[in-house]
Amino acid sequence: MKWLAIQPYYKVQRKVMSTEQVAYEDGRHLYLSRDKIVTHYREFSMDDVFDLSFRPLGESGGLLYLHTKYGVYSYLVKDNPERFIRAYKSL
């Protein structure tokens, strides 16, 4: 499949060991095509997506919000997703 845009995001995973809790970043990607947006575990038809928005947090990165008819999903990003949002809005 031809992807119009790909946006890296990450999820912070926590693992509890016998004496400590370890947190690590699990790198993932959002994929945009003409008819859907695909995440690590979900797939959204473009008919179900209302909007994409971004809220910066701290020095770099922030939250990318995917507004759908099923609710709002947030994704932690390290880089500004402006290109991904522009590609979505151009459809």
Side-chain angles (χ1 to χ4, degrees):
M1 174 168 283
K2 175 87 168 118
W3 302 115
L4 302 176
I6 300 173
Q7 175 63 46
Y9 73 96
Y10 66 96
K11 178 156 177 86
V12 175
Q13 300 282 357
R14 289 178 177 75
K15 185 182 268 189
V16 178
M17 311 295 253
S18 61
T19 60
E20 65 182 340
Q21 177 176 301
V22 178
Y24 63 95
E25 293 179 2
D26 184 13
R28 301 174 180 185
H29 292 89
L30 283 162
Y31 299 96
L32 174 69
S33 72
R34 293 202 177 280
D35 58 340
K36 63 185 171 183
I37 294 179
V38 178
T39 70
H40 191 72
Y41 288 111
R42 293 184 176 90
E43 190 172 299
F44 299 97
S45 166
M46 290 309 253
D47 294 334
D48 299 335
V49 177
F50 300 137
D51 197 17
L52 285 171
S53 61
F54 175 65
R55 172 169 274 202
L57 295 174
E59 294 293 317
S60 64
L63 287 167
L64 173 64
Y65 293 103
L66 177 60
H67 304 265
T68 73
K69 73 178 192 180
Y70 306 109
V72 178
Y73 295 85
S74 61
Y75 300 94
L76 287 166
V77 295
K78 290 187 178 183
D79 301 318
N80 189 324
E82 180 181 336
R83 291 181 64 201
F84 190 82
I85 293 172
R86 260 188 295 154
Y88 163 76
K89 292 190 179 199
S90 71
L91 292 176

